Amino acid sequence: DTGVSQNPRHKITKRGQNVTFRCDPISEHNRLYWYRQTLGQGPEFLTYFQNEAQLEKSRLLSDRFSAERPKGSFSTLEIQRTEQGDSAMYLCASSLAGVSPLHFGNGTRLTVT
Amino acid sequence: ELKVEQNPLFLSMQEGKNYTIYCNYSTTSDRLYWYRQDPGKSLESLFVLLSNGAVKQEGRLMASLDTKARLSTLHITAAVHDLSATYFCAVVQYSGGGADGLTFGKGTHLIIQP
């Protein structure tokens, strides 16, 4: 399977804990995106990378959120000091630069108790 | 700030009928995408519309784009149950650095009944 891979699929954590999610994009794609989706809503853009450069991060939801893509391949999204409002599906997508569509992974569902 | 509005948000229709989903967006953009999402699954790309007047068709689905009106439509012809899903439109947002991520509408939850 050469699609976008996300791990873990599910994460349950207690409020205040830190969590990290991983995304492995389609190998030839140079752009990688993170989105958050809550029930009944469309995906909400968080940040994106072109190769290893993070080109937009102003829409990360707070300073508790950070993302890295250290070698221009896989990426991680970290949420520090989780809150119940962080419970959502976190989606990763990748694409080639230009007009090609984003290819989404199956997401990581986060539940904060 | 770019806003993307879809209507209707919920649609129940019978097999064999035709219907149209509308997507309006608030600022100039020249790229619009349609995605499908099945329950518990991720998003699947349906169409990429790149210019004013663009029309794409795949099976019973046809999408069009009017950049002057900032409107896209997704038309369903002779609906079948397998088309039941949530459909999202998404518009490219531009910043000083160029094209950023997509801004999505809230989605249209479509149920097609026999």
Side-chain angles (χ1 to χ4, degrees):
Chain A
D1 183 22
T2 58
V4 178
S5 176
Q6 291 189 247
N7 287 288
R9 291 295 306 274
H10 304 274
K11 179 70 177 178
I12 300 174
T13 191
K14 292 186 177 180
R15 189 177 54 189
Q17 298 294 306
N18 298 342
V19 293
T20 300
F21 311 139
R22 176 177 171 127
C23 171
D24 288 90
I26 294 171
S27 58
E28 59 266 31
H29 286 180
N30 54 356
R31 285 200 169 187
L32 185 149
Y33 303 79
W34 285 100
Y35 283 81
R36 182 179 80 160
Q37 187 176 24
T38 54
L39 197 61
Q41 301 294 316
E44 178 184 10
F45 173 66
L46 298 179
T47 187
Y48 86 106
F49 296 84
Q50 179 153 314
N51 301 313
E52 65 273 13
Q54 191 173 11
L55 298 186
E56 173 60 58
K57 57 182 178 181
S58 65
R59 283 185 272 174
L60 285 168
L61 298 165
S62 78
D63 58 7
R64 297 184 297 106
F65 287 71
S66 63
E68 294 183 344
R69 193 182 185 196
K71 296 183 179 179
S73 57
F74 74 91
S75 176
T76 58
L77 178 70
E78 182 182 16
I79 309 174
Q80 297 182 328
R81 306 181 302 281
T82 52
E83 302 173 356
Q84 285 189 317
D86 297 332
S87 296
M89 177 73 84
Y90 290 84
L91 295 168
C92 175
S94 69
S95 76
L96 294 168
V99 302
S100 62
L102 277 61
H103 296 261
F104 283 85
N106 288 324
T108 294
R109 181 168 295 283
L110 173 66
T111 302
V112 181
T113 62
Chain B
E1 179 188 346
L2 174 61
K3 294 190 188 303
V4 180
E5 293 187 352
Q6 289 182 236
N7 72 82
L9 297 181
F10 182 82
L11 176 59
S12 179
M13 57 190 292
Q14 288 186 312
E15 280 191 326
K17 300 290 187 183
N18 303 333
Y19 210 82
T20 300
I21 298 170
Y22 297 89
C23 173
N24 289 90
Y25 53 98
S26 62
T27 63
T28 301
S29 181
D30 59 358
R31 268 189 267 162
L32 189 140
Y33 299 78
W34 283 96
Y35 283 86
R36 168 182 173 150
Q37 188 173 37
D38 292 294
K41 300 292 180 64
S42 192
L43 288 91
E44 173 191 355
S45 175
L46 294 175
F47 298 110
V48 180
L49 301 169
L50 299 176
S51 61
N52 187 41
V55 177
K56 295 279 184 74
Q57 183 163 5
E58 180 74 34
R60 301 174 188 273
L61 300 178
M62 183 173 71
S64 66
L65 177 62
D66 181 342
T67 58
K68 294 179 181 178
R70 297 177 188 165
L71 171 68
S72 179
T73 61
L74 181 66
H75 187 72
I76 303 157
T77 302
V80 294
H81 178 69
D82 286 352
L83 292 178
S84 297
T86 300
Y87 292 86
F88 292 96
C89 65
V91 179
V92 171
Q93 172 132 12
Y94 290 89
S95 68
D100 287 345
L102 300 178
T103 297
F104 281 79
K106 290 188 175 181
T108 296
H109 184 51
L110 175 63
I111 295 176
I112 299 170
Q113 300 178 355

